[in-house]
Amino acid sequence: DLSPNNTRLFKNEDGTYELRLASSLTNDTPPSPNDKVSSLLGLHQFPSPRTSSSVSIKISRGDYDTLMKRMTDELEAAAHHVANRNQKDMIDRYVSSFSRGSVPDHEDGSRYWIKDKGPVVETYIGFIESYRDPFGLRGEYEGTCM
């Protein structure tokens, strides 16, 4: 349930790494029963391919939490004005994705977006563009309204 589209990787001064998920929930938020992302949070050890030591990676969420919270609040308000069930299901999945940092939830929301044929206002939002650059993969957040 991790993707490079909504994460940033940092190397700390002590040599450990932190993988941060963009989400409105933070590490202090208690996990919900259906939250697959929360089971991935915390410190993980992996064998180093180059040395006999291990590499430490901490997975955390709450990156851009203030902005992600604003989006989830606005999407929840917009859900009261949808034209059909596909739009409601799409918004619900996007709220879940932006709250928890779950890319599979966003992908599910996109499936509802595809099913919503001929809306009066076309919208799409999320970490949907990714590009390769010299440092690896970069996820880009974008929102469109047509």
Side-chain angles (χ1 to χ4, degrees):
D1 288 337
L2 293 179
S3 166
N5 285 358
N6 70 336
T7 59
R8 294 191 302 161
L9 182 65
F10 295 86
K11 185 173 183 179
N12 299 319
E13 290 181 14
D14 63 1
T16 61
Y17 293 89
E18 182 177 2
L19 185 68
R20 299 179 187 170
L21 284 75
S23 67
S24 64
L25 298 178
T26 64
N27 291 337
D28 299 331
T29 308
S32 66
N34 298 331
D35 186 0
K36 293 179 185 176
V37 174
S38 65
S39 65
L40 303 172
L41 302 176
L43 190 63
H44 302 273
Q45 301 286 331
F46 298 95
S48 172
R50 296 188 181 97
T51 67
S52 60
S53 64
S54 63
V55 175
S56 298
I57 300 177
K58 177 185 175 189
I59 300 175
S60 63
R61 66 176 163 196
D63 203 14
Y64 297 110
D65 61 324
T66 303
L67 292 173
M68 301 303 284
K69 176 73 172 121
R70 285 182 60 194
M71 280 191 299
T72 57
D73 290 347
E74 294 299 328
L75 285 168
E76 286 172 340
H80 299 290
H81 307 283
V82 298
N84 58 54
R85 185 69 195 177
N86 280 328
Q87 291 176 5
K88 174 76 168 100
D89 290 340
M90 175 186 71
I91 288 175
D92 289 346
R93 296 315 183 287
Y94 289 167
V95 167
S96 178
S97 174
F98 300 152
S99 295
R100 300 182 307 144
S102 170
V103 170
D105 285 348
H106 189 275
E107 291 168 347
D108 287 344
S110 296
R111 288 182 183 94
Y112 288 107
W113 175 72
I114 291 168
K115 292 177 186 178
D116 191 26
K117 304 293 182 197
V120 174
V121 177
E122 178 88 29
T123 62
Y124 197 59
I125 191 169
F127 295 93
I128 51 181
E129 298 290 336
S130 58
Y131 306 95
R132 298 283 303 174
D133 71 7
F135 294 107
L137 187 69
R138 297 279 190 243
E140 295 289 332
Y141 183 90
E142 78 180 35
T144 60
C145 182
M146 298 170 265

